[in-house]
mmCIF file of all heavy atoms in Angstrom:
data_model
loop_
_atom_site.group_PDB
_atom_site.id
_atom_site.type_symbol
_atom_site.label_atom_id
_atom_site.label_comp_id
_atom_site.label_asym_id
_atom_site.label_seq_id
_atom_site.Cartn_x
_atom_site.Cartn_y
_atom_site.Cartn_z
ATOM 1 N N ILE A 110 -9.258 5.063 12.408
ATOM 2 C CA ILE A 110 -10.364 5.553 11.583
ATOM 3 C C ILE A 110 -10.856 6.809 12.283
ATOM 4 O O ILE A 110 -11.236 6.762 13.459
ATOM 5 C CB ILE A 110 -11.499 4.517 11.445
ATOM 6 C CG1 ILE A 110 -10.974 3.258 10.735
ATOM 7 C CG2 ILE A 110 -12.679 5.114 10.682
ATOM 8 C CD1 ILE A 110 -12.006 2.146 10.565
ATOM 9 N N VAL A 112 -12.957 10.755 11.834
ATOM 10 C CA VAL A 112 -13.826 11.658 11.082
ATOM 11 C C VAL A 112 -13.589 13.060 11.631
ATOM 12 O O VAL A 112 -13.414 13.225 12.856
ATOM 13 C CB VAL A 112 -15.309 11.237 11.267
ATOM 14 C CG1 VAL A 112 -16.250 12.227 10.611
ATOM 15 C CG2 VAL A 112 -15.528 9.821 10.713
ATOM 16 N N ARG A 118 -21.332 11.992 13.284
ATOM 17 C CA ARG A 118 -22.736 11.592 13.393
ATOM 18 C C ARG A 118 -23.486 11.766 12.082
ATOM 19 O O ARG A 118 -24.687 12.021 12.059
ATOM 20 C CB ARG A 118 -23.430 12.309 14.551
ATOM 21 C CG ARG A 118 -22.666 12.092 15.862
ATOM 22 C CD ARG A 118 -23.433 12.410 17.081
ATOM 23 N NE ARG A 118 -24.364 11.327 17.396
ATOM 24 C CZ ARG A 118 -24.881 11.123 18.584
ATOM 25 N NH1 ARG A 118 -24.588 11.917 19.578
ATOM 26 N NH2 ARG A 118 -25.719 10.139 18.802
ATOM 27 N N GLY A 120 -22.771 9.353 9.622
ATOM 28 C CA GLY A 120 -22.624 8.045 8.992
ATOM 29 C C GLY A 120 -21.291 7.844 8.293
ATOM 30 O O GLY A 120 -21.089 6.852 7.592
ATOM 31 N N TYR A 148 -15.513 3.866 22.435
ATOM 32 C CA TYR A 148 -15.180 5.176 22.985
ATOM 33 C C TYR A 148 -16.138 5.706 24.035
ATOM 34 O O TYR A 148 -15.753 6.550 24.834
ATOM 35 C CB TYR A 148 -14.926 6.211 21.881
ATOM 36 C CG TYR A 148 -16.072 6.486 20.940
ATOM 37 C CD1 TYR A 148 -17.040 7.417 21.237
ATOM 38 C CD2 TYR A 148 -16.142 5.839 19.711
ATOM 39 C CE1 TYR A 148 -18.068 7.685 20.357
ATOM 40 C CE2 TYR A 148 -17.159 6.090 18.824
ATOM 41 C CZ TYR A 148 -18.126 7.017 19.148
ATOM 42 O OH TYR A 148 -19.143 7.277 18.278
ATOM 43 N N PRO A 174 -21.307 2.884 20.412
ATOM 44 C CA PRO A 174 -21.538 3.259 19.012
ATOM 45 C C PRO A 174 -20.515 2.701 18.037
ATOM 46 O O PRO A 174 -20.856 2.293 16.931
ATOM 47 C CB PRO A 174 -21.467 4.789 19.022
ATOM 48 C CG PRO A 174 -21.617 5.207 20.428
ATOM 49 C CD PRO A 174 -21.188 4.050 21.289
ATOM 50 N N TRP A 175 -19.244 2.668 18.432
ATOM 51 C CA TRP A 175 -18.212 2.236 17.488
ATOM 52 C C TRP A 175 -18.245 0.718 17.323
ATOM 53 O O TRP A 175 -18.075 0.197 16.230
ATOM 54 C CB TRP A 175 -16.858 2.750 17.960
ATOM 55 C CG TRP A 175 -15.734 2.726 16.976
ATOM 56 C CD1 TRP A 175 -14.419 2.554 17.290
ATOM 57 C CD2 TRP A 175 -15.762 2.893 15.547
ATOM 58 N NE1 TRP A 175 -13.648 2.591 16.151
ATOM 59 C CE2 TRP A 175 -14.449 2.804 15.071
ATOM 60 C CE3 TRP A 175 -16.781 3.091 14.619
ATOM 61 C CZ2 TRP A 175 -14.117 2.897 13.723
ATOM 62 C CZ3 TRP A 175 -16.451 3.187 13.261
ATOM 63 C CH2 TRP A 175 -15.147 3.100 12.838
ATOM 64 N N ARG A 177 -20.930 -0.871 17.566
ATOM 65 C CA ARG A 177 -22.168 -1.063 16.797
ATOM 66 C C ARG A 177 -21.895 -0.924 15.289
ATOM 67 O O ARG A 177 -22.425 -1.685 14.492
ATOM 68 C CB ARG A 177 -23.186 -0.015 17.265
ATOM 69 C CG ARG A 177 -24.596 -0.297 16.861
ATOM 70 C CD ARG A 177 -25.579 0.413 17.769
ATOM 71 N NE ARG A 177 -25.594 1.856 17.625
ATOM 72 C CZ ARG A 177 -25.417 2.717 18.615
ATOM 73 N NH1 ARG A 177 -25.228 2.269 19.843
ATOM 74 N NH2 ARG A 177 -25.452 4.018 18.411
ATOM 75 N N ARG A 181 -22.644 -3.935 12.744
ATOM 76 C CA ARG A 181 -23.557 -3.787 11.596
ATOM 77 C C ARG A 181 -22.849 -4.111 10.277
ATOM 78 O O ARG A 181 -23.486 -4.528 9.312
ATOM 79 C CB ARG A 181 -24.108 -2.366 11.546
ATOM 80 C CG ARG A 181 -25.173 -2.107 12.582
ATOM 81 C CD ARG A 181 -26.077 -0.973 12.106
ATOM 82 N NE ARG A 181 -27.013 -0.601 13.155
ATOM 83 C CZ ARG A 181 -26.982 0.561 13.788
ATOM 84 N NH1 ARG A 181 -26.100 1.474 13.476
ATOM 85 N NH2 ARG A 181 -27.864 0.814 14.737
HETATM 86 C C1 COA B 1 -15.554 7.036 16.213
HETATM 87 C C2 COA B 1 -15.853 7.932 15.024
HETATM 88 C C3 COA B 1 -14.971 7.467 13.857
HETATM 89 C C4 COA B 1 -17.332 7.806 14.673
HETATM 90 O O1 COA B 1 -17.565 8.592 13.526
HETATM 91 P P1 COA B 1 -19.031 9.125 13.104
HETATM 92 O O2 COA B 1 -18.927 9.522 11.665
HETATM 93 O O3 COA B 1 -19.499 10.118 14.082
HETATM 94 O O4 COA B 1 -19.921 7.812 13.252
HETATM 95 P P2 COA B 1 -21.309 7.557 12.556
HETATM 96 O O5 COA B 1 -21.953 8.853 12.159
HETATM 97 O O6 COA B 1 -21.115 6.527 11.461
HETATM 98 O O7 COA B 1 -22.135 6.989 13.770
HETATM 99 C C5 COA B 1 -22.047 5.660 14.158
HETATM 100 C C6 COA B 1 -22.979 5.431 15.306
HETATM 101 O O8 COA B 1 -22.423 6.059 16.470
HETATM 102 C C7 COA B 1 -23.377 6.957 17.047
HETATM 103 N N1 COA B 1 -22.581 8.015 17.658
HETATM 104 C C8 COA B 1 -21.597 8.708 17.071
HETATM 105 N N2 COA B 1 -21.049 9.545 17.969
HETATM 106 C C9 COA B 1 -21.717 9.370 19.130
HETATM 107 C C10 COA B 1 -21.635 9.951 20.420
HETATM 108 N N3 COA B 1 -20.738 10.900 20.698
HETATM 109 N N4 COA B 1 -22.480 9.531 21.375
HETATM 110 C C11 COA B 1 -23.392 8.571 21.122
HETATM 111 N N5 COA B 1 -23.512 7.990 19.914
HETATM 112 C C12 COA B 1 -22.694 8.379 18.930
HETATM 113 C C13 COA B 1 -24.242 7.360 15.900
HETATM 114 O O9 COA B 1 -25.508 7.806 16.327
HETATM 115 C C14 COA B 1 -24.338 6.050 15.127
HETATM 116 O O10 COA B 1 -25.216 5.170 15.758
HETATM 117 P P3 COA B 1 -26.538 4.657 15.014
HETATM 118 O O11 COA B 1 -26.134 4.332 13.613
HETATM 119 O O12 COA B 1 -26.971 3.477 15.790
HETATM 120 O O13 COA B 1 -27.465 5.820 15.073
HETATM 121 C C15 COA B 1 -15.591 9.419 15.341
HETATM 122 O O14 COA B 1 -16.297 9.778 16.511
HETATM 123 C C16 COA B 1 -14.127 9.736 15.538
HETATM 124 O O15 COA B 1 -13.407 10.062 14.587
HETATM 125 N N6 COA B 1 -13.658 9.649 16.809
HETATM 126 C C17 COA B 1 -12.242 9.881 17.156
HETATM 127 C C18 COA B 1 -11.399 8.770 16.665
HETATM 128 C C19 COA B 1 -11.878 7.410 17.165
HETATM 129 O O16 COA B 1 -12.211 7.203 18.331
HETATM 130 N N7 COA B 1 -11.847 6.435 16.233
HETATM 131 C C20 COA B 1 -12.266 5.076 16.537
HETATM 132 C C21 COA B 1 -11.134 4.233 16.976
HETATM 133 S S1 COA B 1 -9.924 3.990 15.672
#
Side-chain angles (χ1 to χ4, degrees):
I110 298 179
V112 175
R118 305 196 78 159
Y148 60 86
W175 195 211
R177 196 157 69 235
R181 284 205 187 112

